[in-house]
Amino acid sequence: MESFESEQAPLPRNMIENSMFEEEPDVVDLAKESPSYPIDSDDVVYEPRSSRLLVRGLGENDLDEEEEDYESSARLLGMSFMNRSSSQRSAASYTRQQPSNSCSMPSAKKTLMGILVLVVVALVAVIIYFVPRCTFSKDGCQKANSSIEQLYPKASNGELFPWTGLRLPASVRPVHYEISLQPNLTSMTFQGSVAISIVVLQETNKIVLHSYNMKIINGTFQDEKVNILEYKPWQQIAIKLSKELKKGENYVLKIHYSANLSNSYDGFYNSSYIDTNGKRRVLAATQFEPLAARKAFPCFDEPAFKASFVIKITREAEYISLSNMPKATTANLSNGLFEDEFESSVNMSTYLVAFVVANFSSVSKNVSNTLVSVYAVPDKKDQIHYALDTAAKLLEFYNGFFEIEYPLRKLDLVGIPDFLAGAMENWGLITFRETTLLIGDHSSPIDKQLVTSVIAHELAHQWFGNLVTMRWWNDLWLNEGFATYMQYMSTEEVFPELDIDNEFLSVRFKALAKDALNSSHPVSADVSTPEQVEEMFDSVSYEKGASILLMLSATLSKEAFRKGVIEYLRTYKGCNTQSEDLWTSLSQVTNPHTDVAEMMDKWTVQKGFPLVTVTKTESQVKLTQEHFVLNADNATDRSNLWHIPLTYVNDTCSNSSSCKQVFLFKNKTATFKVSDKVRWLKFNCRSDGFYIVDYGEQGWRALIEALKENVNVLPREDRAALINNLFALSRLGRVSFRQVLNLLVYLKNETETAPLTEALTQLNHIFRLLDKRSDLLLVSRMTTYIFMVFGDLMDSQSWGEESSVSKQALRSALLETACNLGRPNCTDQAKRLFDQWMTSNKTEHIPGDLLKVVLSVAAQTKEDWQVLLDTYKHSIYDSEKRKTLEALASTQDVRKIVWILKAGLDGSEIQTPELPLVISTVCRHSAGYLHAWDFVKENWDKLTQKFLIGSFPLQSIIMSTTSQFSTKTHLDEVERFFGSLKDRGSQMRSIQEAIETIKLNMRWMDRNLATLWKWL
């Protein structure tokens, strides 16, 4: 799945089961283990201690037939309590004492009487101790099996639910589903039935699967009616059987149910749009990743439970239906409806199942025995041709690159008008946000770059994720990291004119920034709860995963890496894998043999990345590695080591790929020799490695002087990396900000996009921090400094058509900053273009990469803002529509800011999936960021109804509204608000990230404000 906003909790609780195929926890030691997901107190039956003591006396004949399953647990509990009772009796023993003032011996009669009294007292005490207190109560004692009730939660009907874990038991697995659905797009409900063929892997008398927010009408097992229990907190249903199911046998479970179409953009949900005639059109679509197939049909909703699927959909005549597989038949029903049945699917995970019921138009072409089609709403049918051509070229490329043909006979790409994710890789039926699929006359080459890379990402998933799937969500990176890596690699190979390498470099820098926080997580992290699973969809799984694959490819060579990938796909085709399986496949093809697991394991199982410190003394180079973590005072572990494939060049040979040298650095320190003639070293060639380098004061001075003498002494990627690394080291406190400013002097001779945009991004971040502190004099000085460094370049940009994507990206970044800071040359030109556009009745073309800049300037006036709102409502070009929305959200008018935030939440005039973008844009400007923060606080419950807790949109909203705070007052307010949420999201990792970011902003300001005053 592609997260659309690529810009933007305590440590995860232990998983109940680490493997899909571990034994069921039939016996649980309560003293050692409790469910990893909290059980509500109302759902659990507790009994007094005295009744638990009865468990010690249980025997086989004491158990009812239905209690025999729990005998071993009861005995274990009995032993535990016997041990406890023994220790209590020891503590209760006493010592008889002599009176202090008497030393005479008692008579024999008195002694005998005393002994008798003591015996009677002791017997009474023993009886009272061992007989439960409930014996003397009015209600008497509970049944002996009440100890079992403490282990198992109560189902919604009050019966005991026969399972105790979030992960499903491995005793049975599905083989085949037959699903029938009848959505009603008027009432926004649907009827459904599912027949699940299962095979028994271990003898069991229960079946547990997933279901969420459904009304179960009835169920049968082997055509006999069964009672279906539901435990809503874990989204599970179960049936208890009177007889054990035999290992190796096959059975069929059938369930009839009804449900509402979801309104939260997951599960089987309703979508709508306004057509060009002003009429609202409705449709139904699916989004199941990661945990929402259970909202559309009862299923075993975990990635490792692969099965085949037959889908049947009943629809009205005005709609078509689509699913993963080609349509097999269409039946004309007696009630005027039609039933479409689709061919049986290949084996796949439930999160890849998909279906759509809508009125769409399409175009198709055959590619390598596969029918490729692109679908969109009829008003936009002229915008689907670019996606079709792009998908066809990429499918041919992947077929050749992986040496495994795409296995299905058809591949559909569908633009959904109201879609939250960027896209979703459903096998054979990929769904997209319209912005990431459609290209119209108003689209720029940058828009084409976005659409191409998203299509490349989703097509890569047809192999990585669909053909071979991670076993559990802890290894999500095997899906998303690979697809992200392949999207950039394939786009660069097939569409070199799109300059995608600059974009890949930029996202690697963003991944470093995220992973530098102590609140980050390992690429492969333990997850169990739904919220933890949702939080795995972040830049660590996507961009860091892609970055370490790039590093590995650069180390092994591209061809060796490709052979290892092919070996991995062939070996595990149709199966589920873990990270170790990938390392094994790659190791098998290396020559000479390389233990890839030994090299790469630390990159996935420990969070963060290394800081390599280089000290050069004459001909000797000393290396030191440590964990780069910005919040070093609270770091959890500073002893982490990585196997780092260090690459480096020096001043004698620095610009050719043949100059690169490699040093495998796996200890805390290392040394090597270089020629006495070497003046400087540059490590991490072209930034292919996922680490940061500190060269020390002398090393940095030598590199900065080299760039001042000759800007081309290093490739553009290396120049951008030096800027990124030095800003990061300043944030860490390793170098002064004065040294950063010294490096930026060389930029007066820089012409390449990557280093210029990286410097601009870093300076804009500092400007926004200062702006939000309302320090007007320092903000003015920062503005002057940015103009001093970039002003000439800003003024020299053309405002006409530009064919180069790289130059468009640079122009867009420069002019957006210039106009935001009020540079007259920029604002005047933008207003001129807008006036020409208005005079021509909006027919005069504004270059696509300049559209947001031009419209944002216009949006600062009341009249033009209203014009833009009308343009937004009626535009059918999604790239234009989105840029117009960003312009609207950039207004400094507080009333308009309040309106646009509410409209985004309401969803009537601005689609709710765009709300994270609206909030992010509002927060960039001083007029709106506090209003956005108040809006989030006041509407938190509504936001979490729209966006799942832990989901990427909610992560984005949290970071957008808090990441520019840098004062103790704001820190206290953020901690107080999120601390008050409790089970409404307070444990999200993104909240930890937000609080940590504010603290880092405060620390940076404390360290560098004086420097800024002195040198700006």
Side-chain angles (χ1 to χ4, degrees), residues 516-531:
L517 299 175
N518 196 41
S519 53
S520 184
H521 63 89
V523 170
S524 181
D526 287 347
V527 292
S528 56
T529 69
E531 294 80 9

Side-chain angles (χ1 to χ4, degrees), residues 938-988:
E938 292 165 7
N939 294 280
W940 181 259
D941 289 338
K942 292 180 181 178
L943 289 170
T944 54
Q945 290 172 8
K946 301 284 187 180
F947 311 117
L948 297 176
I949 291 177
S951 66
F952 187 85
L954 205 58
Q955 294 177 46
S956 173
I957 289 171
I958 291 169
M959 293 309 299
S960 294
T961 51
T962 63
S963 63
Q964 296 169 73
F965 290 153
S966 60
T967 65
K968 182 69 164 59
T969 301
H970 283 138
L971 173 63
D972 292 342
E973 186 178 340
V974 169
E975 289 184 322
R976 187 164 54 250
F977 170 70
F978 286 123
S980 70
L981 297 179
K982 298 183 180 178
D983 62 350
R984 296 180 297 139
S986 65
Q987 301 303 307
M988 281 191 295

Side-chain angles (χ1 to χ4, degrees), residues 50 88 121 152 247 333 371 546 688 692 698 725 768 832:
S50 56
Q88 289 172 338
V121 170
Y152 290 87
K247 182 177 180 180
L333 305 181
L371 181 65
D688 286 345
I692 280 177
Q698 291 184 351
N725 285 197
R768 283 194 287 269
R832 179 181 61 81

Side-chain angles (χ1 to χ4, degrees), residues 600-769:
M600 296 303 297
D601 185 59
K602 295 294 181 66
W603 291 96
T604 57
V605 300
Q606 61 190 25
K607 69 181 179 182
F609 57 87
L611 166 63
V612 177
T613 301
V614 180
T615 306
K616 180 179 176 295
T617 307
E618 296 179 347
S619 63
Q620 180 168 290
V621 179
K622 180 182 178 182
L623 306 172
T624 304
Q625 68 159 297
E626 60 187 294
H627 182 187
F628 186 105
V629 56
L630 287 172
N631 198 8
D633 294 339
N634 299 319
T636 53
D637 187 359
R638 302 185 192 181
S639 62
N640 290 346
L641 295 177
W642 287 261
H643 284 213
I644 312 171
L646 281 178
T647 57
Y648 64 95
V649 295
N650 60 56
D651 59 292
T652 64
C653 181
S654 60
N655 232 327
S656 169
S657 58
S658 62
C659 299
K660 182 174 73 174
Q661 300 182 65
V662 182
F663 181 84
L664 185 58
F665 182 28
K666 56 184 179 181
N667 299 315
K668 182 69 175 176
T669 62
T671 59
F672 64 88
K673 296 282 189 178
V674 295
S675 169
D676 291 337
K677 298 179 180 180
V678 170
R679 291 185 299 152
W680 52 261
L681 296 158
K682 166 63 178 70
F683 283 80
N684 197 4
C685 297
R686 300 183 184 272
S687 205
D688 286 345
F690 199 73
Y691 54 93
I692 280 177
V693 184
D694 182 9
Y695 298 92
E697 187 174 350
Q698 291 184 351
W700 279 112
R701 186 184 303 119
L703 284 165
I704 291 170
E705 290 304 316
L707 286 176
K708 290 178 180 178
E709 292 174 10
N710 177 12
V711 71
N712 294 312
V713 71
L714 290 168
R716 64 177 186 271
E717 297 92 344
D718 285 323
R719 305 199 297 271
L722 288 176
I723 294 170
N724 174 271
N725 285 197
L726 203 52
F727 270 99
L729 290 166
S730 167
R731 199 158 167 77
L732 185 64
R734 288 294 183 95
V735 302
S736 69
F737 193 68
R738 179 72 188 98
Q739 202 161 4
V740 175
L741 298 176
N742 190 29
L743 170 62
L744 298 187
V745 172
Y746 104 90
L747 288 177
K748 63 184 179 183
N749 298 319
E750 184 61 82
T751 59
E752 290 289 344
T753 298
L756 286 168
T757 53
E758 178 59 22
L760 199 58
T761 297
Q762 297 287 352
L763 291 174
N764 272 326
H765 172 71
I766 295 172
F767 173 85
R768 283 194 287 269
L769 289 180

Side-chain angles (χ1 to χ4, degrees), residues 212 226 231 389 410 478 609 686 805 851 880 907 974 985:
Y212 186 65
V226 290
Y231 186 56
D389 293 338
K410 67 102 173 173
L478 286 174
F609 57 87
R686 300 183 184 272
V805 176
L851 187 60
E880 176 188 83
V974 169

